[in-house]
Structures are given as structure tokens and as C-alpha cells.
Amino acid sequence: MNASETGGMRRLEEEIGYAFTDRTLLLRALTRLAYALETGLPPAAHMDALATLGDAVINVVVVEAVVAGGAHDKGAITNRKMNLVNMSRLRALAEGIDLAGYVRWGKGEASQRVWTSGRVLAECLEALIGAVYLDGGMEAAAGVLRRLGLTEKV
């Protein structure tokens, strides 16, 4: 980890309001598979598994917040969750913290600016939340999502 990566990670930690105990989790959350393959990093050094975990954590945090907010009907809970957790919403949250500027992209991804369309940036946010969860638990992940504005008005 070089000095510019360390400084960038500190800025990102300030943006999300969470300081990692294990910085390798944060670096992994910011590393795309293409970058890992291009640079010869080990198989576990990229974000994919963290994105899957983060997706699940986000869903739990949002459903918990919706229920705590007074929803008790299964259909209403599901509808509220779907309105809060979707690609567009997660992507907007990621854009709000300039997450694309911290991610280590593969050369092709960088030249195509893949984060400007589709689900890519939402997946990066999911990976970040997965890393927060592994580092600090559900309460830490919920705190970051609250600070980012996902669950503040549930």
C-alpha cells in the first residue's frame, strides 16, 4: 500500500464516518477483479465476495430500519425496501462520496469509465459496506448507511 493509497483511504474513511481497524479490508473493497488480475494479486484480493456480502448486509439494515419505523405488513416492508435499495439509489450514494475516485480499476474499465453506467458503482458501494461489516459488525455498517442517507428517513 503506497502513500497515495493510504491518504485516499483516510479521505474515504472521513467521507463515510468510519475508520477501519483492518485497512486490508478497505483496500480489498476498492479493488476490482480486473485490476487484481492485471497486477497479479491473489484471488482473494478483489471486491467480488465483499459486494455479495454487502448486498445482504444492506438488505438486513434497511429491513430492520423499516420495521423499527413501524412497518409490520410483509408487503409494505418489501415495497419500502425495494424503494430504498435499488441500483440507482446505491449508485447515487456512491457518487455522493466520489467512490469511483477511490476504486482501483482495471485498465479497460478505466478507459471505458465503466462506473458511469449500469450497476458497477452500486456494486462498489456494496463491497465497501461488506468490508465495513467484516471490520466493525452490523452496527458499524448500519451507521455508515445512515450517514450516507440510505436509512435516515425510513
Side-chain angles (χ1 to χ4, degrees), residues 110-134:
S111 68
Q112 295 174 13
R113 298 174 48 90
V114 296
W115 57 89
T116 61
S117 65
R119 180 165 170 66
V120 175
L121 204 50
E123 288 174 350
C124 293
L125 182 67
E126 290 169 345
L128 179 61
I129 297 303
V132 170
Y133 170 77
L134 287 179

Side-chain angles (χ1 to χ4, degrees), residues 28-96:
R28 180 178 172 196
L30 299 173
T31 304
R32 298 280 295 167
L33 174 59
Y35 179 92
L37 292 172
E38 289 170 7
T39 58
L41 292 174
H46 63 86
M47 68 171 59
D48 288 4
L50 292 177
T52 301
L53 176 61
D55 177 56
V57 170
I58 291 167
N59 283 317
V60 169
V61 168
V62 168
V63 168
E64 191 174 80
V66 169
V67 170
H72 301 288
D73 175 71
K74 182 179 178 181
I77 294 167
T78 300
N79 287 336
R80 187 75 179 118
K81 180 184 79 78
M82 287 174 27
N83 288 333
L84 288 167
V85 182
N86 59 58
M87 180 194 62
S88 298
R89 181 78 198 255
L90 295 180
R91 184 173 157 194
L93 294 175
E95 288 170 345

